[in-house]
Structure formats: structure tokens, C-alpha cells
Amino acid sequence: MGLIPQENSPEKEAQVLRVEVVTGPMDGLAHFTTDGAMLIGRGPECDLSLDSDSTVAEKHARLWLLNGLVWIEDLGTNAGTWIGSEPIQGKLPVSSGVVFCVGNTLVEIVADDGGEV
């Protein structure tokens, strides 16, 4: 399942986007998409469903690929989406290996089989 770009969202690219849960109630869960965008949250429409973490919002964050970069955005949640001790504000480009926090769950952006995201 993927996100359909909306008028005010960036265009998505047909590339592989991979993530893995590294800490939290769903430790070890991995997910990938080939449509270049991923919605993260507890809701049934989410690509990466973190329904075992009650601190994650229904639609918490999204990732997408654009011009060879991975972008991340918090979707206006109360808890926020964090990289280290810094909350994500707006849209932020990140690289493979970056770990971000949604609720009580840490998620890592994983390189595809070619070694790049």
C-alpha cells in the first residue's frame, strides 16, 4: 500500500524505500515499498503499522524519495517525530542509516540492496 501524492505533497519516485524497527514494541519489524513513499502510524491505511505502540498516532509520519534523497515529515502529531534529541519540523532530507523516533519506537532507514537508498 502506498501514498498517493496530493496536490500539496512532493511527487514520489518509483524506487525502493526500506525501514526497520530497531527498538520498541515491534522490534525487528522490517518493511519496504517500491512506490517511493511510506506512511507510518497505527492506522490501518499505514504502510508501516506500529499498532503495538499506543504512543504512535494513527498517521504519525511519512517518508518519501525525491531526487535521490529520502525525506521525512511529522504529520502534526502531539508526540512529534524525532531524530536524536531534535524534533523534526517541516520536511527534512535524511540519509540511509538515520534512526528516527515515533512514539516509543525507533525506526532506521535502511539502504536498498545496491547500498544506497
Side-chain angles (χ1 to χ4, degrees), residues 4-25:
I4 298 171
Q6 299 174 357
E7 277 185 38
N8 60 353
S9 69
E11 292 288 327
K12 63 179 182 173
E13 297 176 356
Q15 297 179 22
V16 176
L17 180 58
R18 299 176 193 270
V19 296
E20 182 175 340
V21 176
V22 293
T23 304

Side-chain angles (χ1 to χ4, degrees), residues 7-108:
E7 277 185 38
N8 60 353
S9 69
E11 292 288 327
K12 63 179 182 173
E13 297 176 356
Q15 297 179 22
V16 176
L17 180 58
R18 299 176 193 270
V19 296
E20 182 175 340
V21 176
V22 293
T23 304
M26 301 181 80
D27 190 9
L29 177 67
H31 182 74
F32 76 94
T33 182
T34 57
D35 69 0
M38 186 180 300
L39 181 61
I40 300 169
R42 286 188 302 119
E45 69 280 3
C46 292
D47 301 295
L48 178 62
S49 179
L50 301 173
D51 55 359
S52 292
D53 185 345
S54 63
T55 62
V56 172
E58 289 291 308
K59 294 179 183 175
H60 199 107
R62 72 181 183 114
L63 300 171
W64 70 96
L65 293 165
L66 182 64
N67 299 327
L69 296 173
V70 179
W71 292 79
I72 188 169
E73 177 182 27
D74 178 77
L75 297 176
T77 62
N78 290 333
T81 302
W82 299 72
I83 296 177
S85 62
E86 295 296 319
I88 294 172
Q89 297 180 0
K91 299 170 179 116
L92 181 70
V94 293
S95 61
S96 177
V98 165
V99 176
F100 60 95
C101 182
V102 292
N104 292 319
T105 301
L106 291 178
V107 180
E108 181 178 1

